[in-house]
PDB file of all heavy atoms in Angstrom:
ATOM      1  N   THR A1896      18.701  18.644  22.527  1.00 58.00           N
ATOM      2  CA  THR A1896      17.595  18.774  21.649  1.00 58.00           C
ATOM      3  C   THR A1896      18.135  18.700  20.207  1.00 58.00           C
ATOM      4  O   THR A1896      19.287  19.024  19.932  1.00 58.00           O
ATOM      5  CB  THR A1896      16.811  20.066  21.755  1.00 58.00           C
ATOM      6  OG1 THR A1896      17.583  21.144  21.262  1.00 58.00           O
ATOM      7  CG2 THR A1896      16.498  20.341  23.218  1.00 58.00           C
ATOM      8  N   ASP A1897      17.293  18.255  19.299  1.00 58.00           N
ATOM      9  CA  ASP A1897      17.686  18.155  17.903  1.00 58.00           C
ATOM     10  C   ASP A1897      17.740  19.519  17.231  1.00 58.00           C
ATOM     11  O   ASP A1897      18.160  19.650  16.077  1.00 58.00           O
ATOM     12  CB  ASP A1897      16.722  17.284  17.122  1.00 58.00           C
ATOM     13  CG  ASP A1897      17.058  15.760  17.406  1.00 58.00           C
ATOM     14  OD1 ASP A1897      18.139  15.493  17.870  1.00 58.00           O
ATOM     15  OD2 ASP A1897      16.151  14.953  17.182  1.00 58.00           O
ATOM     16  N   ALA A1898      17.361  20.546  17.943  1.00 52.00           N
ATOM     17  CA  ALA A1898      17.564  21.930  17.446  1.00 52.00           C
ATOM     18  C   ALA A1898      18.832  22.537  17.915  1.00 52.00           C
ATOM     19  O   ALA A1898      19.216  23.644  17.564  1.00 52.00           O
ATOM     20  CB  ALA A1898      16.367  22.809  17.864  1.00 52.00           C
ATOM     21  N   SER A1899      19.585  21.814  18.745  1.00 51.00           N
ATOM     22  CA  SER A1899      20.857  22.347  19.326  1.00 51.00           C
ATOM     23  C   SER A1899      21.963  22.049  18.344  1.00 51.00           C
ATOM     24  O   SER A1899      21.768  21.523  17.236  1.00 51.00           O
ATOM     25  CB  SER A1899      21.152  21.641  20.677  1.00 51.00           C
ATOM     26  OG  SER A1899      21.476  20.291  20.496  1.00 51.00           O
ATOM     27  N   ASP A1900      23.175  22.400  18.742  1.00 45.00           N
ATOM     28  CA  ASP A1900      24.337  22.173  17.884  1.00 45.00           C
ATOM     29  C   ASP A1900      24.789  20.738  17.907  1.00 45.00           C
ATOM     30  O   ASP A1900      25.665  20.354  17.193  1.00 45.00           O
ATOM     31  CB  ASP A1900      25.456  23.095  18.272  1.00 45.00           C
ATOM     32  CG  ASP A1900      25.129  24.564  18.004  1.00 45.00           C
ATOM     33  OD1 ASP A1900      24.390  24.799  17.043  1.00 45.00           O
ATOM     34  OD2 ASP A1900      25.659  25.459  18.716  1.00 45.00           O
ATOM     35  N   ALA A1901      24.273  19.941  18.810  1.00 49.00           N
ATOM     36  CA  ALA A1901      24.705  18.545  18.937  1.00 49.00           C
ATOM     37  C   ALA A1901      23.510  17.607  18.919  1.00 49.00           C
ATOM     38  O   ALA A1901      23.063  17.110  19.932  1.00 49.00           O
ATOM     39  CB  ALA A1901      25.493  18.368  20.281  1.00 49.00           C
ATOM     40  N   PRO A1902      22.981  17.403  17.715  1.00 70.00           N
ATOM     41  CA  PRO A1902      21.805  16.516  17.608  1.00 70.00           C
ATOM     42  C   PRO A1902      22.292  15.042  17.618  1.00 70.00           C
ATOM     43  O   PRO A1902      23.266  14.713  18.346  1.00 70.00           O
ATOM     44  CB  PRO A1902      21.163  16.881  16.268  1.00 70.00           C
ATOM     45  CG  PRO A1902      22.317  17.369  15.477  1.00 70.00           C
ATOM     46  CD  PRO A1902      23.277  18.021  16.413  1.00 70.00           C
ATOM     47  N   LEU A1903      21.658  14.200  16.843  1.00 87.00           N
ATOM     48  CA  LEU A1903      21.985  12.769  16.846  1.00 87.00           C
ATOM     49  C   LEU A1903      23.437  12.543  16.368  1.00 87.00           C
ATOM     50  O   LEU A1903      23.973  13.292  15.616  1.00 87.00           O
ATOM     51  CB  LEU A1903      21.072  12.058  15.904  1.00 87.00           C
ATOM     52  CG  LEU A1903      19.570  12.046  16.211  1.00 87.00           C
ATOM     53  CD1 LEU A1903      18.816  11.177  15.211  1.00 87.00           C
ATOM     54  CD2 LEU A1903      19.288  11.509  17.585  1.00 87.00           C
ATOM     55  N   ARG A1904      23.967  11.441  16.932  1.00 93.00           N
ATOM     56  CA  ARG A1904      25.254  10.995  16.448  1.00 93.00           C
ATOM     57  C   ARG A1904      25.058   9.819  15.510  1.00 93.00           C
ATOM     58  O   ARG A1904      24.149   9.035  15.690  1.00 93.00           O
ATOM     59  CB  ARG A1904      26.140  10.503  17.618  1.00 93.00           C
ATOM     60  CG  ARG A1904      26.452  11.631  18.634  1.00 93.00           C
ATOM     61  CD  ARG A1904      27.501  11.161  19.634  1.00 93.00           C
ATOM     62  NE  ARG A1904      27.063   9.958  20.346  1.00 93.00           N
ATOM     63  CZ  ARG A1904      27.779   9.355  21.323  1.00 93.00           C
ATOM     64  NH1 ARG A1904      28.950   9.829  21.630  1.00 93.00           N
ATOM     65  NH2 ARG A1904      27.322   8.287  21.919  1.00 93.00           N
ATOM     66  N   GLY A1905      25.863   9.721  14.491  1.00 95.00           N
ATOM     67  CA  GLY A1905      25.745   8.710  13.501  1.00 95.00           C
ATOM     68  C   GLY A1905      25.865   9.250  12.100  1.00 95.00           C
ATOM     69  O   GLY A1905      26.183  10.443  11.926  1.00 95.00           O
ATOM     70  N   PRO A1906      25.638   8.483  11.103  1.00 97.00           N
ATOM     71  CA  PRO A1906      25.088   7.112  11.189  1.00 97.00           C
ATOM     72  C   PRO A1906      26.157   6.055  11.570  1.00 97.00           C
ATOM     73  O   PRO A1906      27.298   6.157  11.183  1.00 97.00           O
ATOM     74  CB  PRO A1906      24.587   6.834   9.737  1.00 97.00           C
ATOM     75  CG  PRO A1906      25.504   7.669   8.870  1.00 97.00           C
ATOM     76  CD  PRO A1906      25.784   8.910   9.704  1.00 97.00           C
ATOM     77  N   PHE A1907      25.720   5.067  12.354  1.00 97.00           N
ATOM     78  CA  PHE A1907      26.559   4.003  12.772  1.00 97.00           C
ATOM     79  C   PHE A1907      26.170   2.721  11.981  1.00 97.00           C
ATOM     80  O   PHE A1907      25.023   2.432  11.857  1.00 97.00           O
ATOM     81  CB  PHE A1907      26.375   3.655  14.223  1.00 97.00           C
ATOM     82  CG  PHE A1907      26.783   4.796  15.170  1.00 97.00           C
ATOM     83  CD1 PHE A1907      25.790   5.504  15.845  1.00 97.00           C
ATOM     84  CD2 PHE A1907      28.125   5.129  15.359  1.00 97.00           C
ATOM     85  CE1 PHE A1907      26.146   6.502  16.716  1.00 97.00           C
ATOM     86  CE2 PHE A1907      28.444   6.143  16.210  1.00 97.00           C
ATOM     87  CZ  PHE A1907      27.466   6.838  16.877  1.00 97.00           C
TER      88      PHE A1907
END
Side-chain angles (χ1 to χ4, degrees):
T1896 73
D1897 282 340
S1899 70
D1900 291 332
L1903 298 182
R1904 297 189 304 180
F1907 297 109

